[in-house]
Amino acid sequence: MNAPSQARERGVSHDVSTLYATYRAPIERYIRTLIRNSHDVEDLTQDVFLRAACALGRMGPDLHVRAWLYRIARNRCLDFLRRQRVLHFFSLEGP
């Protein structure tokens, strides 16, 4: 069974396409405040919704979707920035 149908069974009224249509632009703007590269912003935005789609079936009916998506976005950006810092530290090129 896919995540949207599991979510409907659990009482969550949002499916992935509705979440994407409603929250893509605000989530992308939020990510853009943390990450400057437009390609990385697009990738991270898509990753946020992919992770949301995978977890939607595990969420309960009292889910605060907007806050949940922003939390996923924040965590993904922090992971991305941490990874960039480590890569920069270990790169053979100068600063």
Side-chain angles (χ1 to χ4, degrees), residues 44-75:
L44 287 167
T45 301
Q46 289 179 4
D47 191 48
V48 166
F49 287 97
L50 176 64
R51 287 173 184 257
C54 292
L56 194 58
R58 296 188 307 264
M59 299 296 112
D62 59 343
L63 174 66
H64 297 282
V65 175
R66 184 173 183 263
W68 178 60
L69 289 173
Y70 275 89
R71 176 59 59 107
I72 295 170
R74 176 185 167 272
N75 290 341

Side-chain angles (χ1 to χ4, degrees), residues 4-44:
S5 63
Q6 288 175 346
R8 280 190 293 277
E9 286 180 7
R10 296 194 61 171
V12 177
S13 62
H14 299 286
D15 64 21
V16 176
S17 61
T18 302
L19 291 179
Y20 188 79
T22 305
Y23 294 105
R24 185 204 53 81
I27 293 293
E28 188 172 290
R29 278 193 302 274
Y30 173 69
I31 292 172
R32 194 172 303 281
T33 65
L34 300 170
I35 310 295
R36 301 290 185 223
N37 183 301
S38 62
H39 297 294
D40 292 334
V41 169
E42 291 172 13
D43 289 345
L44 287 167

